[in-house]
């Protein structure tokens, strides 16, 4: 649990109170991160100047932009950054579906927590067969279709027809390099909360926060609080007559707050019965008192977070080792993920998706009560590692300065001539061993040029990736 880990880290951090940590927040979008960093007694670096960034004056980069392995490779020995290269394997909707499918083939009983998915247009034929089979056998089935790079509920729709016009349009543009789609089996019987006995109940999902602090070995922590996000229209099973009602089927907070007549902001963060956004911890306690076994549900959610991360661990390790091949620990990066979970009527948790950059904007009492302690706990977890790196860097600089001073004192005016003499002798020895010196030199030159071309090509690939 993050709270226990943070407490232990706080005790460890007390041993290094005299060390100051600087965080580069020049590309951070959230004031909450800045205020939390300041509350920890750390310094902020707001300069967006690339020269200042390359000077490596900070210990941590917090950026809300994507990070390439080239950027990670440029980190100093004392620096960490808040994204892993290769994390799209988990946060991309299509990559997540692909990786979970692979694990389902190997471990079907352990990886049965994600709805069946199809990537469009690649799986369009298979999706057509599924829709036909569904209409013939079960009937009433529905699928939720999301854009690969979509967010905040935009361009999401429900359908039971693989030949839907929107899908055909996406199939065409997808093959032309546009945004692909991911179709998921829609959970028709979610757990709903009834405001009154006569009410139909409101659908909701859970936004939970997962912290990955290392990829080799894998270390994943799940925060014990989060956000329960409610729809603003009473729920009915999806059908052709109501599949267009977005406030009924989509739980995205940014979407539902535009339903002004029915959206409500909770003034009390500890109130589990009112508001379109509520604290998960308080809400689970309320459901536990109502007779639901939420402790078992939470254990299942913990398992989902761990198993999903395990599914992509080889990818994370691969990209990390490409960036930092000589790093002893896989902790130069960390990542905060938003995990979206839906509970069905049988209390089974379903993984919907992972969010690469969850929002830390605070729009009310619930946001402040959940997000502020989370950021604080996370920084406390990272503090001991950052401070140990700072100490090692200071010792390394002190040792390097001492060695440089000693060498300068012992090096005489003829040292340069000695080096030249050694090079001359090595060249003479090389000429004796190689009878055809001119041919050997030409071959060596060609080989060097070939190597330089390869290096230039590798650099161009990195620049293209960046």
């Amino acid at each position: 649990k993050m709270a226990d880990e943070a407490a232990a880290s706080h005790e460890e951090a007390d041993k290094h109170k005299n060390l100051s940590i600087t965080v580069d927040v020049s590309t951070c979008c959230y004031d909450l991160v800045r205020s939390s960093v300041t509350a920890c007694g750390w310094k902020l670096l707001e300069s967006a100047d690339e020269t200042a960034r390359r000077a490596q004056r900070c210990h941590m980069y917090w950026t809300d932009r994507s990070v390439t392995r080239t950027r990670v490779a440029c980190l100093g020995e004392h620096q960490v950054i808040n994204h892993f290269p290769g994390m799209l394997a988990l946060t991309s909707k299509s990559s997540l579906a692909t990786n979970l499918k692979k694990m389902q083939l190997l471990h079907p009983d352990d990886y049965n927590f994600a709805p069946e998915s199809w990537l469009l247009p690649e799986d369009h034929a298979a999706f057509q067969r599924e829709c036909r089979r569904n209409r013939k056998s079960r009937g009433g089935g529905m699928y939720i279709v999301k854009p690969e790079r979509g967010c905040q509920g935009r361009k999401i729709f429900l359908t039971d027809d693989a030949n839907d016009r929107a899908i055909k349009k996406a199939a065409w543009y997808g093959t032309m390099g546009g945004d692909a789609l991911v179709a998921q089996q829609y959970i028709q019987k979610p757990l709903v909360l009834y405001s009154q006995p006569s009410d139909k109940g409101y659908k909701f999902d859970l936004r939970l926060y997962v912290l990955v602090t290392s990829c080799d070995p894998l270390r994943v922590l799940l925060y014990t609080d989060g956000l329960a996000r409610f729809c603003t229209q009473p729920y009915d099973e999806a059908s052709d007559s109501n599949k267009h009602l977005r406030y009924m089927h989509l739980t995205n907070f940014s979407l539902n707050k535009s339903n002004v007549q029915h959206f409500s902001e909770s003034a009390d963060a500890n109130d589990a019965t009112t508001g379109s956004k509520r604290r998960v911890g308080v809400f689970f306690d309320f459901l536990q008192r109502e007779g639901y076994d939420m402790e078992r549900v939470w254990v299942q959610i913990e398992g989902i977070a761990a198993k999903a991360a395990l599914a992509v661990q080889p990818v994370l390790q691969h990209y990390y080792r490409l960036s930092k091949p000589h790093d002893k620990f896989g902790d130069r990066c960390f990542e905060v993920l938003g995990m979206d979970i839906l509970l069905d009527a049988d209390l089974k948790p379903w993984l919907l998706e992972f969010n690469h950059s969850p929002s830390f904007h605070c729009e009310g009492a619930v946001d402040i009560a959940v997000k502020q302690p989370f950021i604080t706990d996370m920084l406390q977890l990272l503090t001991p590692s950052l401070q140990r790196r700072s100490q090692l860097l200071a010792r390394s600089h002190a040792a390097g300065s001492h060695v440089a001073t000693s060498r300068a004192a012992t090096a005489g005016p003829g040292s340069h001539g000695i080096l030249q003499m050694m090079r001359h002798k090595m060249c003479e020895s090389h000429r004796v061993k190689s009878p055809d010196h001119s041919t050997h030199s030409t071959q060596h030159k060609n080989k060097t040029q070939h190597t330089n071309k390869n290096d230039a090509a590798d650099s161009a690939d990195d620049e293209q990736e960046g």
Side-chain angles (χ1 to χ4, degrees):
K1 300 300 177 79
M2 275 193 63
D4 298 335
E5 293 278 351
S9 298
H10 187 66
E11 295 177 1
E12 178 71 17
D14 288 341
K15 303 175 184 178
H16 312 284
K17 281 185 176 179
N18 56 330
L19 294 177
S20 178
I21 293 174
T22 302
V23 182
D24 186 332
V25 292
S26 56
T27 54
C28 174
C29 303
Y30 304 111
D31 292 334
L32 177 62
V33 174
R34 289 177 170 83
S35 62
S36 299
V37 168
T38 305
C40 289
W42 297 359
K43 299 178 181 178
L44 295 176
L45 182 63
E46 294 277 4
S47 173
D49 183 14
E50 186 65 24
T51 303
R53 183 177 292 115
R54 289 178 178 175
Q56 297 186 344
R57 293 186 297 175
C58 70
H59 301 84
M60 177 194 292
Y61 289 106
W62 185 289
T63 176
D64 293 309
R65 301 174 183 173
S66 298
V67 171
T68 64
R69 61 184 177 89
T70 305
R71 175 76 182 276
V72 175
C74 294
L75 291 175
E77 290 300 319
H78 61 297
Q79 294 180 315
V80 299
I81 196 166
N82 69 319
H83 292 297
F84 280 92
M87 187 57 81
L88 284 177
L90 192 65
T91 58
S92 163
K93 296 180 180 68
S94 60
S95 297
L96 175 64
T98 300
N99 288 314
L100 291 182
K101 275 186 179 180
K102 293 177 181 177
M103 297 301 288
Q104 285 169 356
L105 293 174
L106 297 173
H107 309 283
D109 294 334
D110 294 317
Y111 280 82
N112 59 353
F113 51 78
E116 190 173 2
S117 302
W118 297 265
L119 310 184
L120 306 177
E122 292 93 329
D123 299 335
H124 188 254
F127 186 49
Q128 281 182 317
R129 291 192 296 270
E130 168 65 21
C131 289
R132 286 196 297 266
R133 189 183 307 114
N134 179 61
R135 284 195 295 268
K136 290 180 181 178
S137 59
R138 292 169 290 179
M142 195 67 66
Y143 306 91
I144 182 168
V145 184
K146 308 174 185 179
E148 160 66 16
R149 292 187 289 268
C151 61
Q152 298 181 342
R154 291 192 288 263
K155 297 183 179 180
I156 297 178
F157 61 93
L158 272 62
T159 185
D160 60 352
D161 185 6
N163 295 317
D164 191 290
R165 182 182 177 185
I167 292 178
K168 284 189 172 182
K169 184 179 179 181
W172 167 252
Y173 285 111
T175 56
M176 300 297 290
D179 199 5
L181 298 177
V182 177
Q184 274 187 341
Q185 186 77 46
Y186 186 69
I187 307 299
Q188 284 278 41
K189 297 184 181 297
L191 181 67
V192 295
L193 186 69
Y194 296 89
S195 300
Q196 297 180 10
S198 59
D199 199 352
K200 290 183 178 180
Y202 291 84
K203 178 183 174 181
F204 65 91
D205 75 349
L206 309 174
R207 162 57 60 88
L208 302 172
Y209 297 99
V210 176
L211 176 63
V212 183
T213 58
S214 173
C215 67
D216 184 20
L218 182 65
R219 189 164 185 254
V220 182
L221 299 100
L222 177 64
Y223 191 53
T224 55
D225 208 348
L227 302 172
R229 306 174 301 184
F230 285 79
C231 289
T232 51
Q233 188 170 346
Y235 181 76
D236 260 331
E237 286 192 21
S239 63
D240 287 335
S241 61
N242 67 20
K243 65 181 181 181
H244 63 283
L245 300 177
R246 298 165 63 82
Y247 300 135
M248 175 187 292
H249 299 291
L250 304 184
T251 57
N252 304 76
F253 178 77
S254 57
L255 170 70
N256 280 279
K257 71 178 181 181
S258 62
N259 189 10
V260 181
Q261 293 182 348
H262 299 91
F263 176 82
S264 63
E265 186 74 52
S266 178
D268 183 4
N270 295 318
D271 186 357
T273 59
T274 59
S276 298
K277 183 189 290 185
R278 308 173 197 179
R279 288 180 58 187
V280 165
V282 175
F283 183 56
F284 271 30
D285 288 342
F286 166 76
L287 293 178
Q288 185 76 29
R289 293 193 298 270
E290 292 293 312
Y292 296 96
D293 189 359
M294 302 312 294
E295 293 182 0
R296 182 178 62 87
V297 171
W298 189 257
V299 171
Q300 292 176 331
I301 292 175
E302 287 179 338
I304 290 175
K307 292 172 185 176
L310 280 170
V312 301
Q313 191 273 339
V315 178
L316 297 180
Q317 180 180 345
H318 170 71
Y319 280 101
Y320 186 83
R321 289 306 172 194
L322 284 177
S323 305
K324 291 292 180 184
H326 303 297
D327 190 48
K328 294 181 180 180
F329 309 102
D331 63 347
R332 303 298 300 282
C333 305
F334 65 96
E335 186 103 27
V336 177
L337 300 170
M339 182 174 67
D340 292 344
I341 296 289
L342 179 71
L343 300 180
D344 66 16
D346 297 324
L347 285 187
K348 178 180 178 177
W350 294 88
L351 173 64
L352 302 182
E353 63 183 35
F354 280 94
N355 192 288
H356 184 256
S357 296
S359 172
F360 288 112
H361 285 303
C362 291
E363 301 184 15
V366 174
D367 278 338
I368 295 174
V370 172
K371 297 176 182 179
Q372 193 171 43
F374 169 73
I375 296 292
T376 301
D377 284 358
M378 180 198 65
L379 294 177
Q380 289 179 353
L381 276 169
L382 299 172
T383 298
S385 175
L386 286 169
Q387 291 177 329
R388 282 194 297 269
R389 288 187 183 279
S390 299
Q391 282 188 327
L392 291 174
L393 181 69
R395 292 172 186 169
S396 175
H397 284 176
S401 175
H402 176 71
V403 170
T405 304
S406 301
R407 287 177 177 171
T410 56
S415 59
H416 180 71
I418 293 174
L419 289 175
Q420 291 290 344
M421 187 181 299
M422 290 176 64
R423 291 188 187 124
H424 179 72
K425 287 184 177 181
M426 289 174 66
C427 291
E428 290 294 334
S429 174
H430 181 69
R431 290 194 183 99
V432 170
K433 292 180 180 179
S434 179
D436 189 1
H437 175 65
S438 60
T439 304
H440 180 83
S441 300
T442 304
Q443 292 174 349
H444 179 70
K445 181 178 180 181
N446 292 338
K447 184 178 179 181
T448 303
Q449 290 175 347
H450 180 68
T451 304
N452 290 338
K453 288 180 181 178
N454 290 339
D455 291 343
D458 291 341
S459 299
D461 289 342
D462 284 345
E463 289 297 327
Q464 185 176 5
E465 179 186 357

